[in-house]
Amino acid sequence: MTDESRPPRATAARLSLYLRCLEGWLRAGQQSASSHDLAQALLLGDAQVRKDLAYLGGLGRRGVGYKTATLIAAIHKALGIDREWPVVVLGAGNLARALLRYRGFKDRGFRIVGLFDSDPHLIGQKVDGQEVFPASELRRRVAETKAEFGVIAVPSESAQEVADTLVKAGIRGILNFAPALLRLPKGLAVVNVDLTIQLEQLAFQVLAGAE
Amino acid sequence: MTDESRPPRATAARLSLYLRCLEGWLRAGQQSASSHDLAQALLLGDAQVRKDLAYLGGLGRRGVGYKTATLIAAIHKALGIDREWPVVVLGAGNLARALLRYRGFKDRGFRIVGLFDSDPHLIGQKVDGQEVFPASELRRRVAETKAEFGVIAVPSESAQEVADTLVKAGIRGILNFAPALLRLPKGLAVVNVDLTIQLEQLAFQVLAGAE
């Protein structure tokens, strides 16, 4: 994929939604799909979907649509999940345990290569087959495993410190579960999964709907 | 708050971000804050922040800004988190355990009043002080506890079935952790926390940044 054809971020977000639809359809035995099918399923405009899919190259044939599997593979490539990403996880509590057992992690090529905690009771223990290391080992392990992503699964008080350690270790992207706004260098990829915000927005939606 | 002054959804999303900032500032001892401070911290325009905060009523004084605590309370009210929301959780696995221990849940007024699973080995057990009930008890317990939210923390194959059960039980809002697009009646509030999508977007950002 060349620079020119790399989709903008809003398109990338919709590609994730198309992928979710297409995978469901493929599991249900649907071998082909059109941009119109996707537009209908996701309540988007046909033109919008066609424009988004154009970033994937000329995969469809007019009047026939796309092979579901081909479209899925093209979206995987565009999003960068057609390869393996070594990941380190900081914090070995319940959230980390849930993530370690989360199928989607592996399905998307995210392979956990290190689990870290500062609790001396946890260090050396195994959590779902992963040994817990002290944070002091992070830098060495990131270098050894060529880990590119870090997951922050620690309480919010420790989140910035952990983020700084990840940055120093050379991590390129952070998935942050702590409800904290992190100060990070420009250019570092970060996705915040702040459950508190999701809860707030849910409460707001219920209130708004009730009026 | 009247109908006219209820903020649109995009404003509500930003109110959550303002809240995160303001709470951090208050913890750090900062007793007052201006729309300019928030704009700077979140890389937003001053006019945007002022317009958003206007939905909270005339709280600020020109040149002085807002009392941090007053602004926090006003945002809590606008988002609907100045009250308690009884919540049922479906699925008693690792994710549910992480949620039960998640401070933000309680901090935002979400009180878990029922935990449900279909696994006969889990039913009757206690998870973080919460007894696990069979799904057949859901309807009765939702009625008894007046639960308004349901959290879906089951594998994606069971997500739609669980969602249907929640809707029948009279739930008004759903927080869905399963990577599945749910078919839900119009008007029901739903927030999807699809970790797979977050991972995809993170991979995309790292790729895009690398070019």
Side-chain angles (χ1 to χ4, degrees):
Chain A
M1 186 169 289
T2 63
D3 257 16
E4 293 76 27
S5 69
R6 178 158 296 282
R9 204 176 276 197
T11 296
R14 283 189 298 272
L15 288 178
S16 274
L17 296 178
Y18 303 154
L19 186 57
R20 192 71 62 264
C21 272
L22 292 163
E23 287 172 333
W25 293 344
L26 190 65
R27 272 197 301 272
Q30 195 181 316
Q31 302 295 328
S32 67
S34 69
S35 52
H36 180 69
D37 296 337
L38 286 168
Q40 291 277 307
L42 294 165
L43 306 176
L44 295 167
D46 281 26
Q48 174 77 79
V49 178
R50 272 200 306 274
K51 198 178 154 199
D52 289 341
L53 297 184
Y55 282 102
L56 307 173
L59 297 172
R61 277 177 295 155
R62 184 165 291 279
V64 181
Y66 301 85
K67 274 196 172 172
T68 314
T70 308
L71 200 46
I72 288 173
I75 295 178
H76 275 226
K77 188 156 184 254
L79 292 176
I81 52 169
D82 59 336
R83 45 159 288 185
E84 204 170 65
W85 295 98
V87 174
V88 288
V89 177
L90 283 99
N94 285 293
L95 179 59
R97 282 159 215 253
L99 289 173
L100 289 175
R101 296 195 184 166
Y102 180 58
R103 247 184 349 205
F105 229 83
K106 214 179 158 191
D107 288 353
R108 289 299 182 246
F110 291 78
R111 189 168 54 86
I112 294 169
V113 295
L115 180 59
F116 299 84
D117 207 289
S118 58
D119 180 351
H121 294 99
L122 284 174
I123 292 165
Q125 283 200 33
K126 287 229 171 184
V127 173
D128 268 301
Q130 291 281 345
E131 188 180 340
V132 182
F133 295 100
S136 57
E137 299 266 324
L138 180 71
R139 202 158 183 171
R140 188 179 60 76
R141 255 194 106 67
V142 165
E144 271 176 23
T145 59
K146 300 196 173 23
E148 289 173 285
F149 289 111
V151 176
I152 298 183
V154 300
S156 56
E157 307 86 75
S158 328
Q160 183 64 51
E161 189 191 335
V162 159
D164 293 342
T165 317
L166 283 168
V167 170
K168 273 186 210 140
I171 284 295
R172 294 167 68 202
I174 288 178
L175 184 64
N176 174 36
F177 283 97
L181 292 170
L182 302 175
R183 293 175 301 280
L184 294 168
K186 275 217 160 157
L188 194 105
V190 62
V191 168
N192 291 296
V193 185
D194 186 333
L195 282 184
T196 314
I197 288 183
Q198 315 277 5
L199 289 169
E200 288 163 10
Q201 295 302 311
L202 188 61
F204 173 77
Q205 281 186 38
V206 166
L207 275 193
E211 278 184 354
Chain B
M1 187 169 290
T2 64
D3 257 16
E4 293 75 28
S5 68
R6 178 157 294 286
R9 206 176 275 196
T11 296
R14 282 189 299 270
L15 288 179
S16 275
L17 296 178
Y18 303 154
L19 186 56
R20 192 71 61 263
C21 273
L22 292 163
E23 288 173 333
W25 292 343
L26 189 64
R27 271 196 302 273
Q30 195 181 317
Q31 301 296 329
S32 67
S34 69
S35 51
H36 180 70
D37 296 338
L38 287 168
Q40 291 278 307
L42 294 164
L43 305 177
L44 294 168
D46 281 25
Q48 174 77 78
V49 178
R50 273 200 305 273
K51 196 178 155 200
D52 289 340
L53 297 185
Y55 282 103
L56 306 174
L59 298 171
R61 277 177 296 155
R62 186 166 290 276
V64 181
Y66 301 85
K67 273 197 171 172
T68 314
T70 309
L71 200 46
I72 288 174
I75 295 178
H76 275 227
K77 184 152 186 258
L79 291 176
I81 52 170
D82 58 337
R83 44 158 288 183
E84 205 170 64
W85 295 97
V87 174
V88 289
V89 176
L90 284 98
N94 284 294
L95 179 59
R97 281 159 215 252
L99 289 174
L100 289 176
R101 296 194 185 166
Y102 180 57
R103 246 185 347 208
F105 228 84
K106 213 179 159 190
D107 287 352
R108 289 300 181 246
F110 291 78
R111 188 167 54 89
I112 294 169
V113 295
L115 180 58
F116 299 84
D117 207 289
S118 59
D119 180 349
H121 294 100
L122 284 175
I123 292 165
Q125 283 199 31
K126 287 228 171 184
V127 173
D128 268 299
Q130 291 281 343
E131 189 180 340
V132 182
F133 295 100
S136 57
E137 299 265 325
L138 180 70
R139 203 159 181 169
R140 188 179 59 75
R141 255 194 104 68
V142 166
E144 272 175 21
T145 58
K146 301 195 172 26
E148 290 173 284
F149 289 111
V151 176
I152 299 184
V154 300
S156 55
E157 307 86 74
S158 328
Q160 183 63 51
E161 190 191 334
V162 159
D164 294 342
T165 317
L166 282 169
V167 171
K168 273 185 210 142
I171 284 294
R172 295 166 68 203
I174 289 178
L175 184 64
N176 174 37
F177 284 96
L181 292 169
L182 301 175
R183 293 175 301 279
L184 294 168
K186 275 216 159 159
L188 194 106
V190 62
V191 168
N192 292 295
V193 186
D194 187 332
L195 282 184
T196 315
I197 288 183
Q198 316 277 5
L199 290 170
E200 288 163 11
Q201 295 302 309
L202 187 60
F204 174 77
Q205 281 186 38
V206 166
L207 274 192
E211 280 183 350

